[in-house]
Amino acid sequence: MTSTDSAAQTPAKAPAKDPWDLPDVSGLVVGVLGGTGPQGKGLAYRLARAGQKVIIGSRAAERAQAAADEIGHGVEGHDNAETARRSDVVIVAVPWDGHGKTLESLREELAGKLVVDCVNPLGFDKKGAYAIKPEEGSAAEQAAALLPDSRVAAAFHHLSAVLLQDPEIEEIDTDVMVLGEERADVEIVQALAGRIPGMRGIFAGRLRNAHQVESLVANLISVNRRYKAHAGLRVTDV
């Protein structure tokens, strides 16, 4: 066999996938657990304003519906279990001290769902904010351990709730670091972030790297206090 024949029989290598070739997520229903809190409410508002169907959840359905009515843009409010059942993608924006119990109680409703954890395990003392490292390594890894039948990703950690909720602000000038185990799931989250004007979703590794992403919020809180700002992140040369 000649070298030419050998080359002819070697299959051509498929071109590398464009990392910015992201899926159409406009038809997905996004649920936000903890949607009555500042972060969850802000995310719900921005996604709904961008045209996404959004349901916010709370322990009390009445409280969720009141927050949904305040947000507008077609947002619905239900209790956490109903929100999980009716959503394709579920963002977890509950307080850290209720994170584990909330997810454990919703294991059945979240089975088969893409769960996006944006919880930051933080403590506060006289010196300011500091990072807490959960036994599992991070909030996202705790979610993965508690939800074995769900697909868990991590994202939306470094966003200012003040900016998210301000209707006068047209664009949110920031990048969202997205972590996960499956590329398809990560790209869904990236695409959701990209629906919000000014925002990009950037792949930032697997869930084992979530702790440092969650921890960085403590640094941003220090930045905000010193400079009276609402700091976010931009990843350069990407």
Side-chain angles (χ1 to χ4, degrees):
M1 180 182 295
T2 67
S3 59
T4 303
D5 293 334
S6 177
Q9 291 183 7
T10 302
K13 187 176 181 180
K17 186 179 185 297
D18 181 352
W20 296 111
D21 180 15
L22 301 174
D24 177 9
V25 295
S26 59
L28 297 179
V29 178
V30 177
V32 184
L33 304 181
T36 59
Q39 191 80 352
K41 197 172 181 181
L43 278 170
Y45 169 64
R46 286 292 161 179
L47 288 168
R49 179 170 161 171
Q52 204 75 37
K53 176 60 183 174
V54 177
I55 304 173
I56 61 174
S58 176
R59 285 178 294 180
E62 299 81 6
R63 187 178 175 205
Q65 188 57 56
D69 291 341
E70 185 180 342
I71 294 170
H73 297 280
V75 175
E76 296 181 25
H78 297 281
D79 64 32
N80 283 331
E82 183 68 8
T83 297
R85 279 192 291 266
R86 295 184 54 184
S87 302
D88 301 305
V89 179
V90 179
I91 297 174
V92 181
V94 300
W96 166 240
D97 58 6
H99 181 264
K101 288 183 179 179
T102 299
L103 295 184
E104 193 170 20
S105 71
L106 297 172
R107 182 176 295 165
E108 182 178 341
E109 291 83 359
L110 292 171
K113 310 283 184 177
L114 173 54
V115 176
V116 185
D117 202 300
C118 70
V119 175
N120 303 303
L122 297 176
F124 295 87
D125 60 19
K126 292 181 180 180
K127 295 181 179 180
Y130 61 92
I132 297 171
K133 190 163 187 176
E135 182 179 346
E136 298 84 355
S138 64
E141 288 170 294
Q142 183 182 88
L146 292 171
L147 304 172
D149 298 320
S150 304
R151 294 129 52 212
V152 176
F156 302 115
H157 301 90
H158 306 137
L159 306 180
S160 163
V162 173
L163 298 184
L164 288 174
Q165 294 184 84
D166 189 342
E168 299 300 316
I169 294 176
E170 297 293 329
E171 297 188 358
I172 304 295
D173 180 24
T174 194
D175 287 331
V176 171
M177 301 182 79
V178 184
L179 303 96
E181 299 302 317
E182 299 295 334
R183 181 164 185 164
D185 292 335
V186 168
E187 289 181 346
I188 288 172
V189 183
Q190 287 181 266
L192 284 172
R195 298 210 72 199
I196 299 173
M199 194 177 289
R200 297 187 307 172
I202 305 289
F203 172 64
R206 294 179 178 269
L207 287 186
R208 68 181 183 180
N209 293 318
H211 171 65
Q212 54 263 39
V213 173
E214 297 169 359
S215 300
L216 189 58
V217 175
N219 302 89
L220 291 178
I221 289 172
S222 297
V223 170
N224 290 337
R225 287 180 173 174
R226 174 64 60 90
Y227 298 100
K228 311 300 182 189
H230 302 292
L233 296 179
R234 277 294 186 200
V235 180
T236 62
D237 199 33
V238 175

